[in-house]
Amino acid sequence: GGYFISLDVLDGCARDFVRAAKKAGVELTPAGATHPLGLDPHDRTVRIAPTFPDLATVQVAAEGVALSVLLVTSKALLAQRGVVNA
């Protein structure tokens, strides 16, 4: 540990992304943890805090993160366009 990776997702999606990643088996720090009082005014920043994973675990976690970003971003963009049940 002792290092972090910051990930900015589409505005308004960080909390949903953290929930989606958890469902995929990837535990992340809470959305907004990089901001005072944990309140990200744009709900877009997530801090990833890897702690001693082996390379195989990193690969699986990275895939879970990428798929979660894709899922949440796709839903948000579809909702912006008025697509029902996004």
Side-chain angles (χ1 to χ4, degrees):
Y3 60 94
F4 300 100
I5 301 166
S6 290
L7 172 64
D8 286 338
V9 296
L10 190 67
D11 283 9
C13 291
R15 287 185 192 99
D16 289 340
F17 161 67
V18 170
R19 282 191 290 273
K22 187 170 186 167
K23 285 182 182 180
V26 180
E27 187 76 31
L28 300 169
T29 58
T34 58
H35 291 75
L37 303 175
L39 301 174
D40 177 355
H42 300 285
D43 188 27
R44 70 174 168 213
T45 303
V46 178
R47 177 186 286 170
I48 301 172
T51 54
F52 302 112
D54 59 60
L55 191 54
T57 302
V58 170
Q59 181 177 353
V60 171
E63 289 171 3
V65 165
L67 290 172
S68 296
V69 169
L70 179 62
L71 173 68
V72 169
T73 301
S74 297
K75 284 183 175 183
L77 291 173
L78 288 170
Q80 285 177 3
R81 286 163 177 73
V83 176
V84 181
N85 295 323

